[in-house]
Amino acid sequence: MSLTQGLISGGWLWASALVSILALLLALRSAPWGVLAHERRLQHLLFGATVALMLMWTMRAGISPGLGIHFLGMTTLTLMFGWDLAILSGTLALLGMTVIGRESWDTLSVNVLCSVVVPALASLAVLRLVEAKLPRNFFVYLFLCAFFGAGVATAVAGMVMALLLWFDGVYPWAKIYLEYVRFLPLIMFPEGLLNGIIMTAMMVFHPDWIRTFDARLYIDEQ
């Protein structure tokens, strides 16, 4: 879910920039800088995840400009590193893609909002809802937070992008629906499957790498 140059008008760009900057400031304030400074392994994980995200985002499909679909991967980042580091990592990945010319500087704020902030917060919302309403269980976490959460994050991010294009008059809703919205359910399952596979591997082999997963609560106490 990313835009090319010149699609969104100034008003929406400023609004998205305001929301994106606010989210980044909150992420900068909330991030565990002390832990990150002393844990070299965490630094390597975060850097590797950022590079992997850049590579994944270079692969996309679509017909009209602004209506491209690609894997997000933000749910895995949110579950592994927390929403704050996930937003910072995703923003760095987008900055890297913009520097190499794969994205436009003019629409960076909208891309950060739709491809980073919205899916990260949607993933966080699913996680918090599951934690509040359901028992701490390995499979509940895997299927609802990772698999289902990734699908929800994709749908919400895609709809925000679609509504922005519609409200700004870039495309009529019929075109947005035919070329973009109706394909969102098709990408939700593979997005959930991708995140679910990655999180399964992490939960089995390296549960200590996942910031939102406590093996003592989800496994040992069952």
Side-chain angles (χ1 to χ4, degrees):
M1 294 75 177
S2 56
L3 291 177
T4 53
Q5 185 175 6
L7 283 180
I8 297 294
S9 64
W12 288 105
L13 287 177
W14 281 108
S16 60
L18 180 63
V19 176
S20 298
I21 290 173
L22 178 61
L24 284 172
L25 290 176
L26 291 174
L28 287 169
R29 181 180 179 182
S30 175
W33 296 113
V35 176
L36 190 61
H38 292 92
E39 290 286 342
R40 188 172 298 273
R41 183 181 63 179
L42 179 58
Q43 298 172 16
H44 293 164
L45 280 173
L46 192 61
F47 176 76
T50 303
V51 173
L53 206 61
M54 281 185 60
L55 294 176
M56 185 170 63
W57 284 353
T58 60
M59 299 178 289
R60 63 188 60 183
I63 301 175
S64 300
L67 299 180
I69 292 178
H70 60 80
F71 287 112
L72 288 176
M74 288 302 300
T75 298
T76 294
L77 259 67
T78 303
L79 296 177
M80 282 189 64
F81 302 109
W83 69 272
D84 40 20
L85 292 181
I87 287 178
L88 296 177
S89 174
T91 302
L92 286 176
L94 267 178
L95 281 172
M97 293 188 64
T98 305
V99 168
I100 65 176
R102 295 302 300 267
E103 299 290 353
S104 168
W105 288 104
D106 292 347
T107 55
L108 179 61
S109 61
V110 178
N111 289 334
V112 169
L113 176 65
C114 295
S115 296
V116 177
V117 174
V118 169
L121 295 183
S123 301
L124 177 66
V126 172
L127 172 66
R128 292 289 181 259
L129 183 62
V130 170
E131 289 179 336
K133 301 296 184 180
L134 296 174
R136 302 293 176 92
N137 180 274
F138 180 95
F139 294 102
V140 168
Y141 181 92
L142 174 62
F143 287 108
L144 293 184
C145 297
F147 183 88
F148 178 74
V152 170
T154 297
V156 174
M159 287 305 301
V160 170
M161 178 68 77
L163 291 173
L164 275 175
L165 292 170
W166 183 43
F167 289 155
D168 200 38
V170 177
Y171 299 118
W173 181 253
K175 181 180 181 67
I176 295 173
Y177 175 78
L178 288 174
E179 295 187 12
Y180 189 72
V181 173
R182 68 171 179 164
F183 294 113
L184 284 178
L186 299 179
I187 196 65
M188 288 172 64
F189 181 80
E191 177 77 28
L193 185 62
L194 174 65
N195 285 266
I197 291 173
I198 296 174
M199 289 304 300
T200 299
M202 294 297 101
M203 291 163 67
V204 171
F205 296 106
H206 296 287
D208 55 315
W209 290 4
I210 307 174
R211 185 178 174 187
T212 63
F213 180 78
D214 189 341
R216 292 172 300 178
L217 295 176
Y218 286 94
I219 300 177
D220 295 344
E221 297 184 4
Q222 296 304 311

